[in-house]
Amino acid sequence: MGRLEDICQVAERLFSERGYHATSIRDIARKLHLQGGSLYAHISTKEDLLWEIVRRAAEQFLQAIEAVLRQESDPVARFRGAFRAHVAVIARNLPAATVYFHEWRQLSPQRREAVLQQRDLYEAMWREIVHGGIEQGVFRPVDVAMATRAVLSVANWFYQWYRPEGPRSAESIADELSELLLAGLVKEGQS
Amino acid sequence: MGRLEDICQVAERLFSERGYHATSIRDIARKLHLQGGSLYAHISTKEDLLWEIVRRAAEQFLQAIEAVLRQESDPVARFRGAFRAHVAVIARNLPAATVYFHEWRQLSPQRREAVLQQRDLYEAMWREIVHGGIEQGVFRPVDVAMATRAVLSVANWFYQWYRPEGPRSAESIADELSELLLAGLVKEGQS
């Protein structure tokens, strides 16, 4: 497994920098100082590698929000926690997040379908946070699907501009962004 | 010029679907039923083509917001107009927008620098809208840079999920998203 980790790390970087189609198994092997053929002891095809990266990223997003939903019941606390968790998944592995957002469409139809299902499940959990907030009278009666889309846009786009070497931690950026979004969601007089 | 338009249209589609590095001049020529060599009457390199697509997209974003800033002075009207204009640029040419967001980093350093400068200029106009709203006492005293980032995240991410064949017009989606964002920006009692 240690070796598969190394292969994924190199693949994430190359796929995110040059694109999936422009990266060959040989390019990945070269970075690992291996023969192209010896990679096939760990993976069968280049697409398996893309799948491994995308699948792991999708799972991390899901696990992160599930932990928050288990721990918190207050809508505002859930919102803050889930937003912070989403941003943390991206900040922890920026190349993998970039591959996830840019390259999942390059997977075979069956795997693409699996990604879409996981994404739907993830979005449903976010909609549940927004919907719960409205039900409890904490959030304004917004269109749940559209509001969730706006929130996830801000959370996702983070991968485009966040630089780990920048002056602010991902956590403090996440908290500031979620306060801005909550200002639009929380009913007047409730915050 | 007509021919360059055709070449750009095909290149936008292929670059957005498969990625810039994975698309050859020959692929583009084949879609146009031309010999690879005859494309060179119109462009010198594949990178020139990427530059043409990215440069046009950047200019469209700038022209769209400049027109709004000339016509409107009220902060809320400027916000709504600029948001709608941004979304319209993406909706009008989804493949070009995708190439702009995904592939600009593949340009040569000098051109990448030019893209960054145009993007900074564009963001500065958005910050001016937010800042003006605060100055006039219409918007809450938010962190201008972070609020602008949140707004542009929602505006940009639109390219990822918008489908022209969907039931709602880009304009009505834009208006709903900007109302959600304005709800977080406008001071209580001002809307």
Side-chain angles (χ1 to χ4, degrees):
Chain A
M1 259 317 264
R3 184 36 57 118
L4 182 58
E5 292 299 331
D6 295 342
I7 298 170
C8 280
Q9 253 187 36
V10 168
E12 282 157 15
R13 199 149 42 79
L14 292 179
F15 290 170
S16 72
E17 284 167 7
R18 317 189 54 214
Y20 169 69
H21 280 302
T23 306
S24 67
I25 286 288
R26 191 186 295 246
D27 296 332
I28 297 164
R30 200 176 295 132
K31 287 266 179 200
L32 289 159
H33 308 290
L34 292 173
Q35 305 285 344
S38 63
L39 245 69
Y40 291 105
H42 304 276
I43 51 144
S44 303
T45 64
K46 188 172 77 163
E47 199 222 319
D48 283 353
L49 208 44
L50 178 61
W51 172 239
E52 192 65 25
I53 296 165
V54 167
R55 189 184 62 75
R56 285 179 188 201
E59 259 169 32
Q60 281 182 46
F61 283 118
L62 276 171
Q63 282 168 6
I65 198 169
E66 278 163 356
V68 172
L69 293 178
R70 267 196 310 275
Q71 283 161 28
E72 306 280 0
S73 56
D74 170 66
V76 173
R78 284 187 152 190
F79 188 99
R80 282 198 190 111
F83 198 91
R84 197 189 258 202
H86 183 107
V87 162
V89 169
I90 296 174
R92 245 192 335 262
N93 195 342
L94 211 44
T98 305
V99 174
Y100 175 72
F101 290 130
H102 285 190
E103 306 287 0
W104 69 276
R105 284 194 186 83
Q106 310 304 332
L107 289 165
S108 64
Q110 212 179 340
R111 285 171 164 175
R112 215 156 53 213
E113 193 45 48
V115 175
L116 280 174
Q117 279 179 19
Q118 278 197 299
R119 189 169 291 193
D120 284 351
L121 184 59
Y122 184 73
E123 287 193 15
M125 291 186 198
W126 264 105
R127 282 197 298 276
E128 184 44 42
I129 294 175
V130 176
H131 183 254
I134 297 169
E135 289 273 288
Q136 292 180 45
V138 179
F139 293 169
R140 296 186 303 117
V142 293
D143 177 311
V144 173
M146 200 57 88
T148 302
R149 202 144 253 180
V151 170
L152 283 175
S153 300
V154 179
N156 288 338
W157 194 253
F158 177 76
Y159 88 98
Q160 278 265 357
W161 58 272
Y162 172 66
R163 293 295 160 264
E165 65 277 12
R168 293 186 59 177
S169 72
E171 212 166 70
S172 99
I173 295 171
D175 289 350
E176 187 161 343
L177 288 171
S178 72
E179 289 318 306
L180 280 166
L181 292 164
L182 280 168
L185 275 177
V186 172
K187 268 187 183 168
E188 298 194 7
Q190 288 274 342
S191 52
Chain B
M1 259 317 265
R3 185 36 57 121
L4 182 58
E5 292 298 330
D6 295 342
I7 298 170
C8 280
Q9 252 187 36
V10 168
E12 282 156 15
R13 200 148 44 79
L14 292 178
F15 291 170
S16 71
E17 285 167 6
R18 318 190 54 216
Y20 169 69
H21 280 302
T23 306
S24 68
I25 286 288
R26 191 187 294 244
D27 296 332
I28 297 164
R30 200 176 295 133
K31 287 267 179 199
L32 289 158
H33 307 289
L34 291 173
Q35 306 284 343
S38 62
L39 245 69
Y40 291 104
H42 303 276
I43 51 143
S44 303
T45 64
K46 189 172 77 162
E47 199 223 318
D48 283 352
L49 207 44
L50 177 60
W51 171 239
E52 191 65 26
I53 297 165
V54 168
R55 188 185 62 74
R56 285 178 188 202
E59 260 169 31
Q60 281 180 47
F61 283 118
L62 275 171
Q63 283 169 6
I65 197 168
E66 278 164 356
V68 173
L69 293 178
R70 268 197 308 275
Q71 282 160 30
E72 305 280 1
S73 55
D74 171 66
V76 172
R78 283 187 154 190
F79 188 100
R80 282 197 190 112
F83 198 91
R84 195 189 260 204
H86 183 105
V87 161
V89 169
I90 296 174
R92 249 197 327 266
N93 195 342
L94 211 44
T98 305
V99 174
Y100 174 71
F101 290 129
H102 284 189
E103 306 287 1
W104 70 275
R105 284 193 186 83
Q106 310 303 332
L107 289 166
S108 64
Q110 212 179 340
R111 285 171 164 174
R112 214 156 54 212
E113 194 44 48
V115 176
L116 280 174
Q117 279 180 18
Q118 279 197 299
R119 190 170 292 192
D120 284 350
L121 184 60
Y122 183 73
E123 286 193 16
M125 291 186 197
W126 264 103
R127 282 197 298 275
E128 184 43 43
I129 294 174
V130 175
H131 183 252
I134 297 169
E135 289 273 288
Q136 293 180 47
V138 179
F139 292 169
R140 296 186 303 116
V142 293
D143 177 309
V144 173
M146 199 58 88
T148 302
R149 202 144 254 181
V151 170
L152 284 175
S153 299
V154 179
N156 288 339
W157 195 252
F158 177 76
Y159 88 97
Q160 277 265 357
W161 58 271
Y162 172 67
R163 292 297 160 262
E165 66 277 13
R168 292 186 59 177
S169 71
E171 211 165 72
S172 99
I173 295 171
D175 289 349
E176 186 161 344
L177 289 170
S178 71
E179 289 318 307
L180 279 166
L181 292 163
L182 280 167
L185 275 177
V186 172
K187 268 188 184 167
E188 297 194 7
Q190 288 274 342
S191 54

